Amino acid sequence: MIDKQCGYLPSNNMRELIRDNAMLLPAISRFNIAFGFGDNSIDKICRDNGVDTDTFICVCNLLSGYEHSYSRISLPSLMGYLKHAHTYFLDITLPKIRHHLIEAINYSDTNEAALLLIKFYDDYVVEVKRHMDYENEVIFDYVSHLLNNEIDEDFAIEQFSVNHESMTEKLKEIKDIFIYHYKQKDNARLSAALFDIITCERDMMAHFDVENRLFIPAVRTLENNLRTILSSTPVDEGNLTDNENDQLNSLSKRERDIIRCIAQGKANKEIADELCISIYTVATHRRNICSKLGIHSPAGLTIFAIINHLVDINDVKPI
């Protein structure tokens, strides 16, 4: 039985969890857990599917309104869950809603207002995709480096603009316009499409809740712990002058990697592919590097890399 005070426990079986809240089925899917789990415990099912049990239980407790704590979650496991959720929204839910809206409108007199509503919906989908792509390509990449004890001093999770309310509000606005202002008879198909929108709205709000209340606090804790560790680690001053030390130490590890690639003659696209980041992230880092060092040419950055031993001179592309 589910203890309403403690929420879900590893010893509960998955059947009990579903009986308690059938709306957790999408969460199970997004953890890439296979159905057909019989009467096995949550812990066994998670272990059999390579999922961190504490993370799974924490997400399910949050979604069901039970007590939860992000202190024991696995960020890699949680990022896997969030990536699967992004794929679900972008590849399944939102295209299905559009298809149903098109079907509903085709059963009425097609008019300019209907076409504008579809365009409004399409623009909304573009905004959602841009936001989720940014998380997949930039935020999750940043967290992966944190997990490897690599901190970017030019970025913090607090800078991550989570304007989630805007996305859920726009979806609600689309629904309300159809309900209160779009006049047509034979509403069965339109009603089905609007029900899909309502379900998507709730699902998306729950998804953003996981990000705001679990993911971001866990990343913030990781950042603080890593900065504390690094600040207590002695720096080998070597033979550098104070000014050289200041400039070199102002660069994050990722910025040093990019300077090294520039010295090797690589273009932004090549750098992005090698470091597994987006080309836009490379461009942002290059602007930050130029601002910090006051060096704006590839030749100047190459000389800086050689002087500060960031690259072997034999690997440098001739200037």
Side-chain angles (χ1 to χ4, degrees), residues 55 58-59 62 68-70 73-83 86 135-136 138-144 146-147 155 157 160 162 164 207-223:
T55 305
C58 184
V59 169
L62 170 63
H68 60 277
S69 171
Y70 64 83
I73 68 171
S74 161
L75 276 169
S77 190
L78 186 58
M79 285 193 293
Y81 167 88
L82 295 173
K83 287 178 182 178
H86 292 167
E135 290 184 13
N136 289 341
V138 178
I139 301 301
F140 294 158
D141 178 71
Y142 168 72
V143 175
S144 295
L146 287 179
L147 292 168
F155 188 85
I157 198 64
F160 174 37
V162 285
H164 296 148
H207 172 73
F208 294 149
D209 214 22
V210 171
E211 291 188 335
N212 289 335
R213 298 173 65 183
L214 298 182
F215 178 67
I216 292 176
V219 175
R220 186 186 300 122
T221 298
L222 177 60
E223 284 177 336

Side-chain angles (χ1 to χ4, degrees), residues 174-190:
I174 292 169
K175 174 196 67 181
D176 288 347
I177 290 173
F178 272 108
I179 293 174
Y180 300 117
H181 304 288
Y182 187 72
K183 297 182 183 297
Q184 75 167 45
K185 296 181 179 180
D186 300 322
N187 280 331
R189 290 178 181 270
L190 182 56

Side-chain angles (χ1 to χ4, degrees), residues 20 42 61 166-167 258 292:
D20 184 68
I42 292 174
N61 276 332
S166 170
M167 280 184 279
I258 288 175
K292 288 180 178 181

Side-chain angles (χ1 to χ4, degrees), residues 120-121 123-128 130 163-177 197 201 204:
F120 185 28
Y121 179 80
D123 290 343
Y124 164 75
V125 172
V126 169
E127 180 182 344
V128 173
R130 185 184 301 117
N163 192 17
H164 296 148
E165 292 77 10
S166 170
M167 280 184 279
T168 53
E169 281 299 315
K170 285 186 179 179
L171 195 58
K172 181 178 182 297
E173 186 176 341
I174 292 169
K175 174 196 67 181
D176 288 347
I177 290 173
I197 291 178
E201 180 186 351
M204 200 169 284

